[in-house]
Amino acid sequence: MNQRERNELRRHIKLNQCGISKVYGCFVSSSREIISRLDSSLGLLSEFEGEKYLSLLKKVLSGTLGKNLIDIVFSTRQVMEGEEHKLLSALRESKLEDASLRETFFQRVIQSLDLGDTSYLILLAYDAYDVPYRAKDDELQADASDTVYRYLLCAVCPVKEEKPELAYFPGDQAFHSRGISQIVAQPEVGFLFPAFDDRAANLYNALFYTRDDSQRHQELIDGIFHTDAPMSAAEQKETFQDILSDALDKDCSYDVLQSVHEQLRERLAEHKERKDPEPLDMSPQELGTILRSSGVPSQRVESFQRKCGEQFGADTALRPDNLIDSKRFRIETPQLKISVDPDSSYLIEAKIIKGRKYLLIPADDGVQVNGVEIHFPALEE
C-alpha cells in the first residue's frame, strides 16, 4: 500500500459513510481472561460512541509507512493452505457473523500478544468499500465503480484505570468523588486484511500497525500471520550504521558521514516535492554511488554493498528515512552530546591539533551559555 491508498481508505471510514454496521470485540484482563464480549450495532449507538469506535479502528491506518505501518507478505503456500491465512479469509468471507470464528481469532490474539500487566480491548470490524473510479484528472467517480474492496480491521487498545477525582454533578450542584473509571486508550497494535494495493484487495498482503515502531510485538505477528516481518526502522538504522562503520573502517570520517547525511536528506526533500505516494526506496548500489561521491574508495564501497546484501538481503530496497534522522544531526563523545541543525552541519570541522583530536565549531556573535550571552577573551598581543 502507498500513502494515497492509505489516505483514501481513512477518508472512507466515517459514520454514515462506510459499510461498517457492527463492531465486535472482547475486553481482556491483565491475566488474559475475557471479562466481557462486544457485539454492537453502530446504528443503535449514540453518534459519539459510534464515532469513537470508528476512530479507534481508523487509527490502525495512521503513522508512517515502513515504520508504524508494516507490510506483511504471505507466501503462496500460506495463501493456498496456511492455517493463519485460512482463518483471516474465513472471517472476511463470513463478514464476522460466525461467532465461533471470532472466538478462535480472539483466543489466538490473547495467547500471542504480550502487553505485560495491561488490560486491553480487541476490536474487530468488517467493511465492503465500493471503490470509486479514479479518472485521468484524479477525480473520484463513485457512480463508475467496478470494484468492491472487502476487508477486516482489527485494533488492540490498552484499557487504563483513571484515579478517583472530584467531579461536578449538575443534579446536586456540587462536587463529589468520581469512582475509578477504565478508559480505552489509542491502539497499541492492529492490522488491515487484506491490503488495499492498487485500490483493490491483495490477499497476499496485510498491513500491520504498531504505535511504537521500536516495540513491534513480533509475538502477535507470529501468532496471527505466522510470517517474518521486515526489519523495524530502528533495526534498519542500527544495521546501516554498523555496516558503514565496519565497511568504511578508517575512511569513515566526519566529512564522509556529513556528506552521506546531506545527500540522503536531499533525496528525501526531492521526493517530498514530487508528492509521489510511493515511499522512496534506494538500493545498496545507489547508496554506494553516494559513498563514492563522498570520497570513499571503491574497495570500501564494494565492501559496504556486499555487507548490505548480507544483512538486508540481496534485492532489498532501503528507505532513507529509516536510515537517518533527517531533522537532526547528532555528534557524541564519551563526555558530551551535540545536536546540530542538519543545514549547519557543514560548519563543524574535525581536526587534529598538536596530536589531539578536536571538533571545531565557529562561534561568532550571539553565543549564549545557559541563556546568557558571553564574550570571548581578547587575544594577548
Side-chain angles (χ1 to χ4, degrees):
M1 283 181 66
N2 61 36
Q3 186 173 326
R4 179 180 293 176
E5 293 161 345
R6 187 272 306 269
N7 291 343
E8 177 180 344
L9 199 55
R10 278 181 56 83
R11 288 192 296 269
H12 162 72
I13 303 174
K14 294 180 181 178
L15 202 61
N16 301 323
Q17 176 176 301
C18 67
I20 297 177
S21 59
K22 274 195 170 186
V23 176
Y24 300 95
C26 62
F27 178 25
V28 184
S29 70
S30 58
S31 57
R32 297 190 176 187
E33 296 179 356
I34 295 179
I35 299 173
S36 63
R37 288 173 173 79
L38 176 70
D39 183 346
S40 296
S41 173
L42 292 186
L44 299 178
L45 298 176
S46 69
E47 183 177 344
F48 174 81
E49 291 171 332
E51 287 180 345
K52 281 296 181 182
Y53 277 124
L54 290 184
S55 175
L56 291 169
L57 288 164
K58 188 162 63 173
K59 186 67 177 177
V60 304
L61 297 176
S62 63
T64 304
L65 292 167
K67 291 185 178 180
N68 309 93
L69 295 169
I70 307 161
D71 275 321
I72 301 295
V73 181
F74 294 101
S75 67
T76 301
R77 183 174 181 178
Q78 282 183 298
V79 174
M80 297 300 294
E81 57 188 43
E83 180 184 344
E84 292 78 15
H85 195 279
K86 188 177 295 183
L87 174 59
L88 293 172
S89 296
L91 286 166
R92 175 174 174 258
E93 290 301 318
S94 71
K95 303 179 183 179
L96 297 178
E97 294 175 358
D98 188 323
S100 63
L101 287 174
R102 296 199 307 268
E103 188 65 23
T104 300
F105 173 77
F106 292 146
Q107 290 299 331
R108 188 162 292 178
V109 173
I110 293 168
Q111 292 165 14
S112 304
L113 183 60
D114 182 9
L115 288 185
D117 296 329
T118 303
S119 301
Y120 55 87
L121 173 66
I122 305 173
L123 293 177
L124 193 58
Y126 166 84
D127 185 20
Y129 174 34
D130 200 5
V131 182
Y133 174 75
R134 188 184 294 277
K136 292 183 178 179
D137 59 3
D138 219 28
E139 288 294 320
L140 297 180
Q141 301 175 4
D143 56 352
S145 172
D146 60 359
T147 302
V148 177
Y149 169 57
R150 299 182 297 113
Y151 64 95
L152 304 176
L153 267 180
C154 176
V156 181
C157 309
V159 176
K160 301 179 180 179
E161 269 192 5
E162 282 194 335
K163 296 179 180 179
E165 300 284 354
L166 280 177
Y168 182 70
F169 290 76
D172 298 341
Q173 294 187 338
F175 287 89
H176 299 295
S177 174
R178 185 184 67 182
I180 296 176
S181 57
Q182 294 181 311
I183 306 297
V184 180
Q186 294 295 313
E188 182 71 19
V189 289
F191 68 85
L192 167 76
F193 173 83
F196 187 51
D197 290 342
D198 296 324
R199 306 184 70 233
N202 178 3
L203 293 173
Y204 284 80
N205 284 62
L207 191 67
F208 184 78
Y209 167 82
T210 176
R211 182 187 61 81
D212 183 351
D213 67 287
S214 66
Q215 297 180 1
R216 304 179 66 184
H217 295 283
Q218 181 64 43
E219 77 281 1
L220 183 62
I221 295 175
D222 292 339
I224 300 302
F225 306 109
H226 195 60
T227 186
D228 292 330
M231 279 188 185
S232 68
E235 289 170 335
Q236 289 180 40
K237 185 176 182 180
E238 184 177 351
T239 302
F240 175 69
Q241 292 169 342
D242 290 343
I243 292 173
L244 271 179
S245 178
D246 188 29
L248 272 59
D249 197 21
K250 293 181 180 180
D251 289 304
C252 190
S253 66
Y254 175 86
D255 290 341
V256 165
L257 292 186
Q258 193 277 332
S259 174
V260 170
H261 192 276
E262 183 62 25
Q263 290 189 63
L264 291 178
R265 284 183 68 240
E266 289 176 357
R267 299 285 185 97
L268 288 167
E270 291 169 359
H271 182 264
K272 186 176 181 179
E273 288 179 5
R274 290 196 300 269
K275 296 183 179 180
D276 188 342
E278 297 291 344
L280 175 62
D281 291 332
M282 295 183 67
S283 67
Q285 288 69 32
E286 289 175 296
L287 292 171
T289 299
I290 288 178
L291 291 177
R292 285 192 179 89
S293 68
S294 300
V296 177
S298 294
Q299 184 179 356
R300 301 289 194 194
V301 173
E302 291 169 3
S303 174
F304 167 82
Q305 293 172 332
R306 183 177 65 255
K307 291 179 184 295
C308 277
E310 294 169 356
Q311 294 295 319
F312 294 114
D315 300 321
T316 299
L318 301 174
R319 296 187 54 174
D321 54 348
N322 286 348
L323 304 182
I324 64 166
D325 184 345
S326 61
K327 297 180 180 178
R328 289 194 305 168
F329 190 84
R330 293 193 307 160
I331 302 168
E332 297 183 19
T333 75
Q335 293 79 28
L336 55 84
K337 297 179 181 180
I338 304 172
S339 184
V340 183
D341 184 331
D343 289 331
S344 302
S345 61
Y346 71 94
L347 294 172
I348 300 175
E349 295 181 82
K351 286 191 174 182
I352 297 178
I353 302 175
K354 295 182 179 180
R356 190 170 185 182
K357 301 172 184 175
Y358 286 90
L359 289 171
L360 304 181
I361 305 173
D364 297 318
D365 296 332
V367 179
Q368 295 183 352
V369 175
N370 293 334
V372 180
E373 189 167 343
I374 64 168
H375 298 275
F376 289 82
L379 292 174
E380 293 183 4
E381 294 183 1

